[in-house]
């Protein structure tokens, strides 16, 4: 089968037309024929050697994907032809973290066994998945829309971690890549209107403008000059220095949501007195524990109003076009790239 394969030893990608086809091993295995598979900021960190991934053998990356059921084990609850989306993360179900419902902290499961990072992923025509990581799509959600389900599941977890975010709160979203845009759409859907979006890339601000939320759009230097304070700051950049700067814009009693995934080498200097004096809360958000059902609900509520690829700045590519995809992402021409797999 066709796949875009990552070699963790040499940190290289290649397009392979003869990658081995997955086969059913367990009675509850599901083989998904992939239709849409996203490229995440984490994937870019992996390719650059800044984030851990499997090194023992080359494998297709891709932990955000949707498609249809191609083949099932004899005890699977799924049927061939069903539209599905796949949660790439799972618990080990044995450690205290998992048994307490917090598998994002698991030292062997969670992000340490992710499909598309440590197991063959969705940058391929077919993927084998345990059935407990597969979710049937309800009527009204297309596989194209469900290509965004995994990042929305992370946003859903972040929303829960930051809750309550009361209507009328003054909110700052830092970074207008795809994650910033998904937060923008989620906040607007929930009724928030006093939202500012900060982004240095003008083309990305134009993409946010096209979402027609009415949110205020500014460059970072505007924030520095006006010194306005915000009740909630959602950092979607994954850049330590950005946190160091934007943390100063947090209001008394405010919440700083560190959502963008920083490489382990990044650092930020924060004044402990500000944390004490303002009684602020710093909130980390790690992956998407048990939040896929909520994400599917979000997708169903959003529909075409919010999930239009063109308005979100999402562009699709064939697997063979992965080099063009990476160039466009690095140039900031698009907010997100997704493989459309035939």
């Amino acid at each position: 089968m066709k796949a875009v394969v990552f070699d963790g030893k040499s940190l290289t990608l290649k397009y392979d037309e003869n990658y081995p086809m997955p086969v059913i091993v367990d009675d509850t295995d599901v083989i998904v024929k992939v239709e849409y598979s996203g490229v995440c900021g984490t994937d870019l960190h992996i390719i650059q050697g800044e984030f851990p991934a499997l090194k023992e053998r080359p494998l297709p990356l891709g932990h955000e994907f949707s498609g249809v059921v191609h083949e099932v084990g004899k005890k699977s609850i799924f049927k061939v032809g069903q539209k599905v989306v796949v949660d790439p993360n799972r618990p080990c179900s044995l450690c205290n973290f998992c048994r307490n419902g917090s598998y994002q902290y698991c030292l062997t499961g969670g992000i340490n066994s992710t499909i598309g990072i440590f197991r063959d992923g969705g940058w391929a025509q077919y993927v084998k998945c345990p059935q407990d990581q597969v979710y049937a799509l309800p009527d009204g959600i297309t596989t194209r829309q469900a290509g965004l389900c995994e990042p929305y599941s992370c946003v859903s977890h972040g929303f829960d971690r930051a809750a309550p975010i009361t209507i009328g709160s003054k909110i700052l979203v830092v970074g207008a890549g795809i994650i910033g845009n998904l937060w923008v759409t989620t906040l607007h859907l929930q009724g928030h209107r006093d939202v500012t979006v900060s982004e240095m890339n003008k083309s990305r601000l134009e993409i946010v403008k096209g979402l027609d939320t009415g949110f205020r759009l500014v460059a970072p230097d505007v924030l520095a000059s006006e010194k306005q304070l915000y009740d909630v700051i959602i950092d979607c950049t994954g850049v330590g220095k950005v946190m160091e700067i934007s943390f100063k814009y947090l209001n008394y009693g405010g919440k700083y949501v560190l959502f963008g995934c920083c490489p382990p080498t990044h650092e930020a200097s924060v004044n402990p007195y500000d944390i004490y004096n303002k009684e602020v809360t710093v909130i980390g958000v790690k992956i998407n524990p048990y939040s896929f059902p909520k994400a599917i609900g979000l997708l169903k509520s959003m529909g075409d109003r919010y999930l239009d690829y063109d308005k979100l700045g999402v562009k699709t590519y064939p697997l063979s076009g992965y080099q063009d995809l990476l160039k466009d992402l690095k140039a900031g021409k698009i907010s997100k790239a997704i493989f459309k797999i035939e």
Side-chain angles (χ1 to χ4, degrees):
M1 67 173 179
K2 298 174 183 177
V4 175
V5 180
F6 171 69
D7 187 327
K9 292 181 180 178
S10 60
L11 301 180
T12 56
L13 286 177
K14 73 172 184 177
Y15 174 60
D16 187 345
E17 293 186 320
N18 296 294
Y19 193 79
M21 179 80 178
V23 296
I24 297 291
V25 175
D26 296 328
D27 288 343
T28 53
D29 282 344
V30 176
I31 294 179
V32 176
K33 184 179 186 298
V34 182
E35 293 190 354
Y36 292 90
S37 185
V39 179
C40 174
T42 302
D43 293 318
L44 300 182
H45 288 315
I46 289 171
I47 295 166
Q48 293 163 7
E50 299 171 333
F51 197 88
L54 186 71
K55 294 186 184 299
E56 285 74 19
R57 62 174 177 85
L59 82 166
L61 297 180
H63 58 275
E64 309 172 357
F65 60 95
S66 61
V68 297
V69 175
H70 174 73
E71 187 180 352
V72 297
K74 61 184 179 182
K75 292 184 180 179
S76 175
I77 65 171
F78 291 94
K79 306 296 182 186
V80 172
Q82 275 185 293
K83 294 185 303 178
V84 295
V85 69
V86 176
D87 183 348
N89 304 305
R90 65 178 302 165
C92 78
S93 299
L94 295 174
C95 72
N96 287 337
F97 294 129
C98 290
R99 291 183 172 186
N100 283 325
S102 299
Y103 72 71
Q104 68 270 36
Y105 310 137
C106 181
L107 300 179
T108 56
I111 201 167
N112 303 292
S113 63
T114 299
I115 294 174
I117 297 180
F118 291 97
R119 292 181 282 163
D120 285 18
W123 292 3
Q125 290 179 297
Y126 299 90
V127 185
K128 183 184 73 173
C129 312
Q131 72 170 6
D132 59 2
Q133 291 178 253
V134 181
Y135 290 79
L137 291 174
D139 293 339
I141 299 178
T142 65
T143 54
R144 181 178 174 90
Q145 293 169 335
L148 296 170
C149 193
E150 194 278 342
Y152 266 120
S153 74
C154 296
V155 171
S156 176
H157 177 50
F159 214 95
D160 287 346
R161 291 272 293 142
I165 304 178
T166 55
I167 300 298
S169 298
K170 186 177 290 294
I171 300 170
L172 172 64
V173 177
V174 185
I178 188 60
I179 287 298
N181 293 354
L182 300 190
W183 270 98
V184 163
T185 53
T186 303
L187 289 167
H188 193 266
L189 177 72
Q190 300 284 354
H192 293 278
R193 297 295 181 266
D194 193 355
V195 178
T196 296
V197 181
S198 171
E199 169 62 52
M200 66 173 59
N201 187 313
K202 292 182 179 179
S203 62
R204 286 188 168 181
L205 282 182
E206 284 300 311
I207 291 172
V208 182
K209 186 176 180 181
L211 292 171
D212 195 28
T213 59
F215 292 170
R216 189 173 75 115
L217 312 177
V218 300
D221 57 349
V222 173
L223 298 178
S225 64
E226 64 187 13
K227 297 180 180 179
Q228 195 170 147
L229 298 181
Y230 296 86
D231 303 313
V232 181
I233 297 177
I234 303 162
D235 184 349
C236 300
T237 66
V239 179
K241 191 66 178 180
V242 171
M243 178 190 181
E244 186 172 303
I245 295 169
S246 56
F247 193 81
K248 299 173 184 177
Y249 307 140
L250 197 57
N251 204 357
Y252 288 82
K255 300 174 183 178
Y256 194 98
V257 182
L258 192 59
F259 191 87
C261 183
C262 288
T265 54
H266 283 211
E267 293 184 355
S269 177
V270 176
N271 190 331
Y273 179 81
D274 287 340
I275 298 174
Y276 148 77
N277 188 45
K278 291 183 175 181
E279 287 194 338
V280 299
T281 303
V282 179
I283 300 168
V285 181
K286 187 177 184 182
I287 63 173
N288 58 343
Y290 303 111
S291 58
F292 249 66
K294 293 180 181 179
I296 291 172
L298 266 179
L299 296 182
K300 197 165 185 178
S301 298
M302 287 182 166
D304 293 336
R305 165 66 180 89
Y306 297 102
L307 300 178
D308 183 292
Y309 274 21
D310 291 333
K311 288 183 179 180
L312 285 167
V314 178
K315 186 176 178 181
T316 61
Y317 300 77
L319 288 172
S320 59
Y322 78 94
Q323 290 176 320
D324 290 334
L325 177 156
L326 292 175
K327 288 178 184 176
D328 289 348
L329 272 179
K330 290 176 181 177
K333 294 180 180 179
I334 55 176
S335 64
K336 186 173 185 64
I338 291 182
F339 287 115
K340 186 178 186 302
I341 302 174
E342 302 295 341

